[in-house]
Amino acid sequence: IRSTTVPNVDGSNNTEDDDEDDVVDLAANSLLNKLIRQSLVESSHRVEVLQKDPSSPLYSVKTFEELRLKEELLKGIYAMGFNRPSKIQEMALPMMLAHPPQNLIAQSQSGTGKTAAFVLAMLSRVNTLELFPQCLCLAPTYELALQTGRVVERMGKFCVDVQVMYAIRGNHIPRGTDVTKQIIIGTPGTVLDWCFKRKLIDLTKIRVFVLDEADVMIDTQGFSDQSIRIQRALPSECQMLLFSATFEDSVWQFAERIIPDPNVIKLRKEELTLNNIRQYYVLCENRKDKYQALCNIYGGITIGQAIIFCQTRRNAKWLTVEMMQDGHQVSLLSGELTVDQRASIIQRFRDGKEKVLITTNVCARGIDVKQVTIVVNFDLPVNQAEEPDYETYLHRIGRTGRFGKKGLAFNMIEVDKLPLLMKIQDHFNSSIKQLDPEDMDEIE
Ligand code: ADP
């Protein structure tokens, strides 16, 4: 695959284009997820399928060969190291590649193989002899568009005549340019501009339309309406596909407005549980005292890797400095970092370059804690009303029941915060034992 017209974008947010104004954390989190993802995310749940025509046979595939793909595409898939379709792909791919094309709404958590699935669908439907846009993919930000484009380029490595173009701000195409690239990936605002104002893309010739990250999309002002305007101009035989990691009512309503007669596929997320986590708390007087307790724990047991959560950036910074001065190898992950910086810190941590990662709430969600044996709440998670933030507690400490290993969690508690901890204990109906930090024998 060749990709010309690599956009020249600077990554800053101050632009006159209203395209990516107001980019919310959802998009940043999603990008971070993609940057740090190394493999498929598993789920023990079954894929739920709702067919638009329940009487038609339901196909699923266990191998990529069964899909009768073009040779060069199959080669691309294997070159990416894929051996067999993921759970969601088993059901989604036969629908997406069916003749006549079927529309699809698919929801499954990030990392389950949605992008790979629709990229495969786009690549398999491109006619390389035709030099005009045939597939259109909308993404919420230009960074996410580029990520998808990279997957197209990798999977399409052997599809030498397929070309990708990015309709994103900063990619200036001279007026009157004849766009010959078959796959267009872009953000709604710029795509709208290219289609209606600048007439660079003829929507009536598009045969696959993908709306990716629908949940992030509807969270961005104006993107739903712009997407719908684009969709309205597509031919009725165009295949329409929508993907989302989450599925609140608002996403569902949007999906139903934009995808006519859809099949629906859902894969529920693996729930987090505290069952296989031993939880402890240490009563402390103040911050220094908490730090001392932390050092005792650290010295008292063999620790693989640990994540320490603080409630504020300031606390996180303070703790990082303290630990560094005491000779520990720690790194700090906090909200003021760019997504790329966060990704690189997480990567270093995964590679074992640092044994301790100190972080704030902002970043808690993006991290896969599989290899981490210990989680420390240096501060308890609380919400604005100073009530316990149960969800965050679960996200920091919980593991998925089937895939998670056993873990240890320590809460550093100032005496006046003890009632909060008790509430957390009651809420999850799981015991949090008090620990004397001078006596680590209690743990093992
Ligand atoms: P999603 O779009 O749902 O977040 P992706 O398509 O990005 O998921 O896939 C997540 C990760 O799994 C990526 O690293 C991707 O390369 C990989 N992946 C996708 N499909 C397969 C497969 N069938 N076999 C192995 N790895 C896969």
Side-chain angles (χ1 to χ4, degrees):
I1 198 156
R2 281 176 294 152
S3 169
T4 46
T5 342
V6 171
N8 174 25
V9 281
D10 60 3
S12 61
N13 264 334
N14 43 11
T15 164
E16 318 85 282
D17 265 6
D18 56 10
D19 207 1
E20 277 95 22
D21 270 3
D22 240 336
V23 173
V24 281
D25 258 355
L26 271 183
N29 280 348
S30 178
L31 180 65
L32 182 63
N33 252 319
K34 282 180 199 271
L35 294 178
I36 64 178
R37 173 124 295 131
Q38 285 159 335
S39 58
L40 275 170
V41 168
E42 299 171 83
S43 164
S44 61
H45 294 292
R46 282 169 61 105
V47 176
E48 298 167 49
V49 181
L50 227 122
Q51 284 180 286
K52 99 186 148 169
D53 172 11
S55 66
S56 75
L58 186 61
Y59 296 106
S60 80
V61 288
K62 293 283 176 208
T63 64
F64 286 112
E65 278 85 2
E66 288 169 70
L67 295 166
R68 312 211 167 284
L69 301 164
K70 294 180 267 197
E71 196 59 40
E72 58 272 26
L73 189 47
L74 201 57
K75 255 174 87 179
I77 291 167
Y78 289 137
M80 288 178 85
F82 299 2
N83 297 319
R84 41 159 296 156
S86 72
K87 223 165 172 174
I88 192 113
Q89 289 164 359
E90 286 181 2
M91 302 307 293
L93 288 175
M95 283 179 183
M96 292 162 81
L97 300 174
H99 290 283
Q102 300 186 7
N103 293 348
L104 176 70
I105 294 174
Q107 180 257 323
S108 62
Q109 81 182 96
S110 136
T112 47
K114 299 184 296 294
T115 307
F118 72 70
V119 164
L120 195 153
M122 291 198 296
L123 283 169
S124 78
R125 289 209 189 271
V126 162
N127 180 345
T128 50
L129 299 175
E130 296 174 339
L131 298 181
F132 53 80
Q134 300 162 32
C135 304
L136 174 63
C137 174
L138 298 183
T141 65
Y142 78 89
E143 292 93 343
L144 288 166
L146 287 180
Q147 287 300 316
T148 300
R150 295 217 171 98
V151 180
V152 176
E153 279 158 28
R154 283 182 68 201
M155 196 179 280
K157 190 168 139 196
F158 303 101
C159 307
V160 282
D161 292 322
V162 181
Q163 299 195 11
V164 186
M165 190 162 173
Y166 298 97
I168 53 186
R169 79 174 143 80
N171 195 5
H172 296 293
I173 307 297
R175 197 162 287 281
T177 302
D178 187 18
V179 177
T180 56
K181 318 283 184 283
Q182 298 100 340
I183 298 180
I184 309 290
I185 307 175
T187 48
T190 308
V191 169
L192 201 67
D193 190 54
W194 282 25
C195 295
F196 295 117
K197 222 157 87 202
R198 311 195 53 211
K199 308 220 184 304
L200 292 166
I201 302 171
D202 180 2
L203 285 175
T204 64
K205 289 181 173 167
I206 299 291
R207 53 177 82 103
V208 183
F209 171 70
V210 177
L211 195 135
D212 193 19
E213 312 238 14
D215 47 353
V216 184
M217 207 69 110
I218 62 165
D219 212 59
T220 309
Q221 185 76 33
F223 276 12
S224 308
D225 290 341
Q226 289 171 340
S227 302
I228 284 171
R229 278 184 63 199
I230 293 164
Q231 187 271 351
R232 295 285 183 264
L234 295 165
S236 60
E237 67 277 9
C238 175
Q239 179 175 37
M240 305 191 187
L241 310 166
L242 177 140
F243 299 87
S244 182
T246 60
F247 233 139
E248 292 97 50
D249 288 347
S250 53
V251 181
W252 183 238
Q253 283 156 14
F254 172 64
E256 287 200 307
R257 275 184 75 194
I258 201 163
I259 309 292
D261 300 324
N263 294 305
V264 180
I265 291 184
K266 287 187 196 184
L267 179 56
R268 270 194 294 147
K269 197 175 166 160
E270 199 67 23
E271 276 100 36
L272 292 172
T273 150
L274 297 175
N275 288 345
N276 40 14
I277 312 296
R278 277 175 297 159
Q279 303 165 75
Y280 297 96
Y281 73 92
V282 185
L283 272 187
C284 305
E285 297 282 328
N286 51 34
R287 190 163 78 167
K288 269 237 114 53
D289 207 23
K290 283 180 173 183
Y291 179 61
Q292 196 47 54
L294 179 67
C295 292
N296 289 345
I297 290 171
Y298 210 73
I301 53 175
T302 338
I303 292 183
Q305 280 184 296
I307 296 188
I308 304 174
F309 288 98
C310 298
Q311 188 68 11
T312 61
R313 279 184 199 177
R314 216 167 41 118
N315 251 5
K317 207 166 265 165
W318 174 83
L319 184 60
T320 307
V321 172
E322 290 287 311
M323 289 195 80
M324 278 179 164
Q325 281 170 353
D326 282 348
H328 297 288
Q329 278 183 311
V330 298
S331 60
L332 173 63
L333 182 71
S334 79
E336 69 253 37
L337 300 175
T338 66
V339 175
D340 282 330
Q341 289 170 325
R342 290 185 212 182
S344 110
I345 286 175
I346 294 170
Q347 193 52 51
R348 283 180 58 86
F349 182 61
R350 279 189 169 163
D351 293 342
K353 296 207 171 89
E354 279 88 25
K355 290 188 90 183
V356 179
L357 184 73
I358 297 173
T359 184
T360 53
N361 277 341
V362 194
C363 309
R365 293 292 163 88
I367 313 168
D368 195 350
V369 288
K370 236 180 252 158
Q371 56 176 345
V372 172
T373 43
I374 292 190
V375 178
V376 177
N377 281 322
F378 198 75
D379 304 304
L380 272 185
V382 290
N383 59 25
Q384 257 136 24
E386 291 291 312
E387 286 292 310
D389 179 346
Y390 301 111
E391 210 193 324
T392 300
Y393 186 86
L394 183 64
H395 269 271
R396 287 179 180 182
I397 290 172
R399 304 281 168 103
T400 57
R402 204 175 98 164
F403 306 110
K405 301 196 206 90
K406 287 209 184 323
L408 279 172
F410 297 95
N411 295 286
M412 306 299 170
I413 304 291
E414 281 124 340
V415 183
D416 61 324
K417 297 279 167 43
L418 195 56
L420 293 179
L421 189 85
M422 292 303 133
K423 281 188 184 173
I424 290 177
Q425 181 171 265
D426 290 348
H427 180 89
F428 291 109
N429 194 17
S430 72
S431 97
I432 310 179
K433 286 201 197 112
Q434 187 172 4
L435 189 71
D436 173 2
E438 307 287 333
D439 181 16
M440 287 301 135
D441 294 345
E442 291 173 55
I443 299 174
E444 259 103 10

